[in-house]
Amino acid sequence: MTARKIIIDTDPGQDDAVAILLALASPEEIDVLGLTCVAGNVPLELTAKNARIICELAGRSDLPVFAGCDRPLGRDLVTAEHVHGKTGLDGPDLPDPVMPLQEKHSVDFIIDTLREQPGGTVTLCPLGPLTNIATALQRAPDIAGKIREIVLMGGAYFEVGNITPAAEFNIYVDPQAAEIVFKCGAPIVVMPLDVTHKALVTAARNDAFRALGTPAGIAVAQMTDFFERFDKAKYGSAGAPLHDPCVTAYLIRPDLFSGRHVNVEIETTSELTMGMTVADWWGVTGRDPNALFVGDLDAEGFFELLTDRLSRL
């Protein structure tokens, strides 16, 4: 099997970090061409720094990391330090990165890569707000037909919102960008809160990460120790959901996930429901499906995969 070429678009974030580690630990299935950073969980300066910290934790200081858009297309930036801490990676004590940030802008890297690689071979994996992806599509509409697939973490339907009553954080931060992406015509797979809230790090699962005894395993356990406090307080859950690793796990083991091809529209005008992902789960609108909206996963299989792959780093 040929490894799937991907670009990870990210705003790390502890769960972004785990998603990146999972991808870098799975070279047989995933060929990471680069990391493109966007403002989201924390401002751009920190997301670009955090992405390089994670690369070095994985022993991949050779991987190119690019800084991208520092604000949404048409709104003020909303961040999530209340979840991820002031650095975005609060929890472990990780050294500042030594590897350089690339001079090229994230958007230019996305456009150039999609134009240079054979059509239909590069998958985009956005883990944060969709500003970089939308900007690339606006600037170079020809790339839409070259994208193999967009597999993203964002949105919610049955689980409703986590930053407002109606909206999930990534989509809420830049709903205008999300609208552009969902209307671009490329194949889309969505990992909404409906599925990511089932990827729950229980105490036993976190103990398994820590028991690996490796720098990556211990760091992941410490990250989860930190950000689970938010979900325990908000949802009364037994631990923290690993949202973003669902994206990379899907690329490795799609059989762990199930969902429906439905139409997804993004609310961009109402402040009451701004950023809501209106998923036509029951097919009542007659609108053509534009995304695979994932609703369930094999949680045991997911954590077995994640623990096994982290042990490689």
Side-chain angles (χ1 to χ4, degrees), residues 179-249:
E179 181 180 42
I180 291 167
V181 171
F182 275 87
K183 289 184 175 180
C184 77
I188 296 175
V189 178
V190 185
M191 296 290 162
L193 298 181
D194 304 83
V195 67
T196 67
H197 277 178
K198 296 171 183 174
L200 199 66
V201 183
T202 61
R205 289 166 178 167
N206 212 33
D207 288 344
F209 297 150
R210 187 175 285 105
L212 294 174
T214 61
I218 293 168
V220 168
Q222 292 171 335
M223 290 179 202
T224 306
D225 283 340
F226 177 83
F227 81 94
E228 72 176 3
R229 83 210 185 287
F230 174 79
D231 292 276
K232 284 183 174 180
K234 183 171 184 176
Y235 301 110
S237 59
L242 286 179
H243 305 285
D244 295 330
C246 289
V247 169
T248 39

Side-chain angles (χ1 to χ4, degrees), residues 134-163:
T135 302
L137 288 164
Q138 283 185 316
R139 197 173 294 172
D142 62 287
I143 66 173
K146 300 178 183 295
I147 299 168
R148 174 174 173 176
E149 200 167 41
I150 299 172
V151 184
L152 68 93
M153 189 277 133
Y157 181 64
F158 294 103
E159 286 285 313
V160 295
N162 64 353
I163 189 70

Side-chain angles (χ1 to χ4, degrees), residues 5 8 17 24 29 39 47 57 87 99-100 108 115 120 141 152 183 186 222 224 227 230 254 266 274 277 294 301 305:
K5 297 176 182 178
I8 299 178
L24 297 181
E29 296 91 357
T47 64
L57 178 64
T87 70
M99 63 185 287
D108 294 323
R115 285 176 171 171
L152 68 93
K183 289 184 175 180
Q222 292 171 335
T224 306
F227 81 94
F230 174 79
I266 310 297
M274 180 67 71
T277 45
V294 178
L305 172 68

Side-chain angles (χ1 to χ4, degrees), residues 98-165:
V98 176
M99 63 185 287
L101 194 62
Q102 300 296 308
E103 293 185 5
K104 182 181 284 191
H105 193 281
S106 289
V107 171
D108 294 323
F109 175 71
I110 292 168
I111 293 170
D112 292 346
T113 302
L114 285 166
R115 285 176 171 171
E116 291 165 3
Q117 296 286 337
T121 62
V122 176
T123 297
L124 302 181
C125 298
L127 309 179
L130 291 163
T131 316
N132 284 340
I133 309 301
T135 302
L137 288 164
Q138 283 185 316
R139 197 173 294 172
D142 62 287
I143 66 173
K146 300 178 183 295
I147 299 168
R148 174 174 173 176
E149 200 167 41
I150 299 172
V151 184
L152 68 93
M153 189 277 133
Y157 181 64
F158 294 103
E159 286 285 313
V160 295
N162 64 353
I163 189 70
T164 74

Side-chain angles (χ1 to χ4, degrees), residues 73-89:
L73 295 182
R75 293 165 59 82
D76 292 335
L77 177 64
V78 176
T79 55
E81 288 88 350
H82 62 289
V83 179
H84 299 281
K86 64 181 181 180
T87 70
L89 285 182

